[in-house]
Amino acid sequence: MKLINCVLCICLFIVFMGCKTTESQDNISTPGDKPGVLDEELSIIEKGDSFAADEQYYQAFVTYLTASNIEENSLIISRIEGVLPYLNMGSGQEDKVSVRLGEQLSQGLKFYVEQKTSSENQKLAAIPIKLNYSTQLQNGKKTDKHLVLISSGQGYVLFTPPEERSVGLYNVKAFLYPPELEKLIEQNKSLYDSVLSLLEQKKSSVQINVYSMAQNITTSTLILDLDSGGKPVGQNITELGLDSHLKKSGYQLKVNNLDHLYVLEEDNNAVLDRIKRDYGDTIKRIIIGTAQLEDFSYDGQNYSVKVYGDIRVFNVQTGEVLLRTRRYKLMQGQNLDSTLNSSYRQLGIDLAQKLKEELP
């Protein structure tokens, strides 16, 4: 009897261990068993893996992006991180280029996506490339814009930046941006942000230096200061402030002997004719304008003074207006005369700064 019981115990133990072994095997984790990983998405990932195995890395990348219903973004991110090293952004020019203010680049900027395989590096055709670039609005503020271009049969996109209104540095950045990525904004925003961050790390950038040659062109000034009634104040402090600031910046200024009252004439041709008659072609440009007291007040302690300047820069030989700019200046002080003088002078400095930024 004891022998029978012993045999039964052994049998029960074997059955129990067999069940535990089966249970342990059933609990082994596979991608298809992970929460949120649907069979359809798993199939998409496997398809992407197949593209990657065949060294079709761009196809693998966009295929992974379509598996957006997977809750575990890390599964897709890990796959994308595996193929992105084989997809590189590049540009067809130096990282820094220069263009003169008022002109456009003689040749557009070229960008491409290159796929690296075991046998060759190939520039890919019909690939969406997003360009982010900075530009200046009419109000003088810089803004960022973007557009998506499709690479040509040779693998390039060609972009001609807009003509800028002021000197400075402007950036153009290019990165891979397939439509499958755009769709993720609504389908899976967190995945979109993660992938975009990876793509921006691989961007190609070009910096555009917009410069001016105005400081090398001989220029003269004729700016008349007026009171609130439009009468000359006797001193032309705005012109002094402007000249001083331009000289410090290396501008070639030449003094003229014209009467500042010429400025009040509606037709500036009289000034241009006198400059050409008296100075020939030694003066290439002349800055003509007025600075006028617009308003002032006193609060018992300080005077508030507001002045307004309006100037034009002329090509002496052709009469062309190269630039017109207007500026206000508001200043405060305890003494009216010194506050007026400071206002006119600072207005001249502000006008000069605008010329440095925008005069071609």
Side-chain angles (χ1 to χ4, degrees):
M1 189 67 179
K2 290 182 178 179
L3 180 60
I4 294 173
N5 289 337
C6 182
V7 172
L8 288 173
C9 288
I10 292 173
C11 291
L12 289 172
F13 176 76
I14 292 173
V15 172
F16 173 76
M17 289 303 294
C19 292
K20 291 293 287 183
T21 302
T22 303
E23 180 182 347
S24 299
Q25 291 175 344
D26 289 342
N27 286 335
I28 294 176
S29 177
T30 64
D33 295 325
K34 292 182 178 180
V37 181
L38 306 177
D39 290 340
E40 182 180 351
E41 269 61 38
L42 182 59
S43 176
I44 293 174
I45 292 177
E46 290 174 346
K47 184 178 179 181
D49 292 344
S50 178
F51 280 127
D54 292 339
E55 295 187 306
Q56 299 181 53
Y57 298 112
Y58 178 74
Q59 290 300 324
F61 170 58
V62 296
T63 300
Y64 292 141
L65 292 177
T66 61
S68 58
N69 290 328
I70 293 180
E71 295 178 3
E72 293 188 14
N73 290 343
S74 59
L75 189 61
I76 302 179
I77 293 298
S78 64
R79 293 299 205 282
I80 290 175
E81 288 177 332
V83 298
L84 281 185
Y86 300 96
L87 297 170
N88 297 313
M89 290 298 310
S91 66
Q93 58 279 315
E94 299 293 329
D95 293 339
K96 293 183 179 180
V97 297
S98 296
V99 62
R100 186 172 176 177
L101 181 64
E103 299 179 358
Q104 283 190 320
L105 289 171
S106 57
Q107 296 180 340
L109 302 178
K110 288 184 176 181
F111 296 96
Y112 60 86
V113 177
E114 190 173 69
Q115 181 172 257
K116 180 180 180 181
T117 67
S118 58
S119 60
E120 63 177 347
N121 293 344
Q122 178 187 13
K123 293 180 178 63
L124 299 180
I127 301 297
I129 295 177
K130 188 172 186 178
L131 301 176
N132 288 349
Y133 62 98
S134 57
T135 188
Q136 189 177 43
L137 302 175
Q138 289 186 347
N139 60 11
K141 294 182 179 180
K142 280 189 176 182
T143 186
D144 293 326
K145 293 188 175 183
H146 68 269
L147 78 162
V148 177
L149 300 176
I150 307 299
S151 61
S152 66
Q154 289 73 40
Y156 289 98
V157 297
L158 184 64
F159 172 62
T160 302
E163 181 181 310
E164 298 299 345
R165 297 181 176 86
S166 68
V167 299
L169 299 176
Y170 298 83
N171 296 306
V172 180
K173 302 175 183 179
F175 56 92
L176 190 60
Y177 198 80
E180 291 83 358
L181 179 61
E182 182 80 17
K183 294 177 182 178
L184 289 181
I185 295 177
E186 295 183 358
Q187 296 174 353
N188 191 332
K189 184 61 164 60
S190 62
L191 179 59
Y192 171 85
D193 292 337
S194 298
V195 176
L196 188 63
S197 178
L198 292 174
L199 293 176
E200 287 181 339
Q201 292 174 26
K202 298 181 69 65
K203 67 180 179 293
S204 178
S205 300
V206 174
Q207 188 177 74
I208 304 172
N209 174 35
V210 180
Y211 67 93
S212 171
M213 295 294 292
Q215 69 270 22
N216 299 324
I217 301 173
T218 307
T219 304
S220 193
T221 55
L222 198 68
I223 303 174
L224 179 65
D225 289 349
L226 305 172
D227 63 17
S228 58
K231 296 180 180 179
V233 299
Q235 300 182 79
N236 297 306
I237 300 175
T238 303
E239 183 180 290
L240 295 175
L242 183 142
D243 286 356
S244 175
H245 192 70
L246 291 181
K247 285 179 181 177
K248 289 180 181 179
S249 301
Y251 276 67
Q252 298 182 19
L253 297 184
K254 186 175 181 64
V255 177
N256 65 76
N257 60 5
L258 271 65
D259 191 330
H260 282 73
L261 293 179
Y262 273 112
V263 174
L264 298 179
E265 297 186 11
E266 292 184 5
D267 187 359
N268 293 122
N269 287 329
V271 175
L272 300 179
D273 290 341
R274 286 292 300 271
I275 290 290
K276 285 187 284 188
R277 186 191 69 186
D278 296 346
Y279 299 95
D281 61 354
T282 60
I283 294 179
K284 306 293 185 181
R285 294 176 173 180
I286 186 166
I287 304 169
I288 303 175
T290 59
Q292 185 168 359
L293 172 63
E294 185 164 289
D295 189 26
F296 76 94
S297 60
Y298 181 64
D299 62 6
Q301 291 184 330
N302 292 304
Y303 288 95
S304 293
V305 174
K306 184 179 183 180
V307 292
Y308 168 71
D310 183 359
I311 61 173
R312 292 179 175 88
V313 183
F314 289 87
N315 180 316
V316 173
Q317 297 302 318
T318 66
E320 177 189 1
V321 178
L322 303 173
L323 180 68
R324 181 179 185 178
T325 186
R326 305 175 180 92
R327 279 290 180 270
Y328 284 96
K329 194 65 186 179
L330 177 64
M331 298 190 71
Q332 293 183 328
Q334 295 181 340
N335 181 275
L336 179 58
D337 288 339
S338 63
T339 304
L340 277 169
N341 291 342
S342 297
S343 299
Y344 283 123
R345 183 174 183 81
Q346 190 58 51
L347 175 63
I349 293 173
D350 289 355
L351 289 168
Q353 182 60 36
K354 197 65 177 175
L355 295 182
K356 286 169 54 181
E357 294 172 357
E358 297 186 357
L359 184 60

